[in-house]
């Protein structure tokens, strides 16, 4: 059993996330980190920060990550997997570079990275890899030898991610009034991104209308809708919709927006809606504000009953999925035959991001890919 749970050649797992403010004084500095290089005035950042100020200046993502860290460490310990788990963020403490510096000091030489983004896109994958490359370069500039970094594959269709989503939708449907429950519509939501970013998401072979980003979300939505039908006997209509758009209004982004979608569904006579945030691993501010606050208020104006289903968060099944992904990748690195675990029509994602996968507008070094300078 011990051999089956050997993560060699890896000696650590890094949970890599977006980060978020943990008090009112953190909000504007955090947003300055997120928007660095874009020249956005501080007064504008204060306006954007109002979403955070409504919740005391605290993003839920950090506590969600702490809960996930606890779940991962417990799962690893319970199953005899001796692999330390670290945590670093792109935009707030604990900062990625600081965490990697700590890992080097601890003697970690071969690190697997779990990003809190399940799907392919520039902002959900390539940008994390660019941040990793920046941090590794910073360590080199300090005279440190950076560890070798690999990134776990996209896990959007792993059963440990999909099953908690299914259960969340089922609970939300059960919470609706009985007279509207069976006719409820399911709105699967994810973060809107520019259509150009969507069209070039995933490997080059997947580029096209919506790219891998849209295809992967649609695959998860179908899996969940099919499971709901099998378990309830009711075939609920559904649609993939988007939220949290930002940026210049003249640039096309993925649509429809969740609030527009609620208006359209209400006008079409839909009696209730379950909002299922399949694009989010945990309760980001976008979930708390854009769904729980803004979209729920819109539904209230319409007199439309809505429920928001839970994100995966620190569900033990997700922690178990991460363990399985670690062991799967370790086995592959050791040349052993591996059958990746994946549901749906798309199969398991690639282990190594190929050249041209989710490209950035300006070429930048990225770690953990076929084009990485840190092989």
């Amino acid at each position: 059993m011990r051999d089956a749970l050997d993560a060699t050649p890896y000696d650590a797992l890094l949970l890599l996330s977006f980060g978020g403010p943990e008090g009112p004084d953190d909000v504007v500095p955090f947003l300055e980190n997120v928007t660095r290089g874009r020249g956005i005035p501080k007064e504008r950042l204060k306006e954007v920060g109002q979403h955070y100020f409504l919740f005391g200046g605290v993003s839920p993502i950090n506590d969600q990550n702490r809960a996930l860290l606890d779940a991962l460490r417990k799962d690893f310990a319970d199953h005899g997997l001796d692999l330390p788990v670290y945590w670093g963020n792109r935009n707030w403490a604990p900062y990625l570079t600081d965490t990697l510096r700590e890992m080097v000091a601890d003697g970690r030489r071969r690190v697997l990275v779990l990003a809190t983004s399940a799907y392919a896109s520039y902002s959900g994958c390539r940008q994390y890899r660019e941040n990793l490359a920046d941090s590794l370069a910073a360590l080199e500039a300090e005279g440190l030898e950076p560890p070798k970094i690999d990134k776990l594959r996209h896990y959007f269709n792993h059963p440990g991610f999909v099953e908690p989503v299914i259960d969340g939708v089922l609970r939300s449907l059960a919470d609706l009034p009985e007279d509207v429950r069976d006719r409820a519509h399911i709105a699967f939501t994810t973060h809107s991104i520019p259509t150009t970013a969507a069209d070039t998401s995933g490997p080059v072979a997947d580029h096209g209308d919506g790219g891998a980003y849209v295809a992967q979300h649609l695959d998860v939505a179908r899996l969940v809708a099919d499971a709901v039908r099998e378990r309830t006997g009711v075939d609920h209509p559904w649609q993939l919709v988007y939220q949290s758009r930002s940026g210049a209004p003249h640039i096309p982004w993925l649509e429809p927006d969740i609030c527009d979608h609620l208006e359209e569904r209400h006008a079409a006579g839909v009696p209730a809606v379950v909002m299922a945030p399949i694009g989010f691993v945990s309760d980001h501010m976008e979930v708390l504000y854009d769904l729980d606050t803004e979209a729920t208020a819109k539904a209230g104006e319409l007199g439309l009953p809505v429920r928001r289903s839970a994100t995966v968060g620190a569900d033990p099944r997700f922690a178990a999925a991460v363990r399985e992904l670690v062991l799967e990748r370790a086995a592959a690195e050791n040349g052993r035959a591996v059958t990746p675990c994946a549901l749906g029509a798309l199969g398991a994602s690639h282990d190594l991001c190929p050249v041209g996968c989710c490209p950035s507008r300006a070429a930048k070094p990225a770690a953990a890919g076929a084009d990485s300078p840190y092989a």
Side-chain angles (χ1 to χ4, degrees), residues 82-130:
D82 185 14
L83 190 71
V85 186
Y86 294 76
W87 172 32
N89 289 325
R90 288 169 48 188
N91 299 297
W92 201 249
Y95 288 103
L96 172 59
T97 303
D98 294 337
T99 300
L100 285 173
R101 190 181 295 113
E102 176 189 357
M103 297 176 83
V104 170
D106 289 346
R108 311 304 174 193
R109 302 302 312 142
R110 192 78 187 271
V111 177
L112 263 176
V113 172
L114 167 68
T116 54
S117 176
Y119 301 86
S121 70
Y122 171 73
S123 58
C125 184
R126 174 88 191 188
Q127 193 169 17
Y128 281 91
R129 294 174 49 225
E130 290 176 353

Side-chain angles (χ1 to χ4, degrees), residues 144-210:
L144 300 174
E145 184 180 353
K148 177 172 170 50
I149 299 284
D150 289 324
K151 181 176 174 290
L152 289 174
R153 65 177 172 88
H154 300 302
Y155 46 83
F156 63 92
N157 56 2
H158 193 289
F161 183 81
V162 176
E163 285 293 334
V165 174
I166 294 168
D167 286 350
V169 172
L170 290 170
R171 285 193 298 269
S172 292
L173 286 168
D175 192 48
L176 284 168
E178 190 173 356
D179 60 333
V180 299
R181 185 180 305 149
D182 286 353
R183 294 177 292 139
H185 172 85
I186 305 173
F188 293 104
T189 77
T190 190
H191 208 300
S192 184
I193 61 176
T195 55
T196 53
D199 293 347
T200 56
S201 58
V204 173
D206 294 339
H207 291 182
D209 188 14

